Amino acid sequence: MADILFCDVDGTLTATVSRATFKSNPRDVLVLPGVENALCHYAQEGYLMVGISSEGGVGGWSQKAGSCI
């Protein structure tokens, strides 16, 4: 059985370039310092990684889940 690493994406792995609360497009994603090295470490250790997001657009029905995957 593989070990699984669950990561909160928003505010833990990424932030917004614009400093807005929610990301508005892919160019607004800022990967936080150290994240790439940390995720590479867990990948090399064989972890399955799962990103979790609670972006309000999907829960508030302004976006369809399929457009966010």
Side-chain angles (χ1 to χ4, degrees), residues 23-59:
K23 298 168 191 83
S24 58
N25 63 67
R27 292 180 306 276
D28 199 26
V29 177
L30 172 68
V31 178
L32 294 172
V35 167
E36 183 177 357
N37 289 338
L39 293 180
C40 284
H41 166 77
Y42 284 104
Q44 290 173 350
E45 293 293 318
Y47 279 74
L48 174 66
M49 292 179 276
V50 178
I52 301 169
S53 176
S54 60
E55 287 286 347
V58 176

Side-chain angles (χ1 to χ4, degrees), residues 2 6-7 9 11-12 14-17 22 24 26 35 37 40 43-46 54 56 60 68:
F6 292 92
C7 297
V9 175
T12 304
T14 66
T16 58
V17 174
F22 300 109
S24 58
V35 167
N37 289 338
C40 284
Q44 290 173 350
E45 293 293 318
S54 60
C68 300

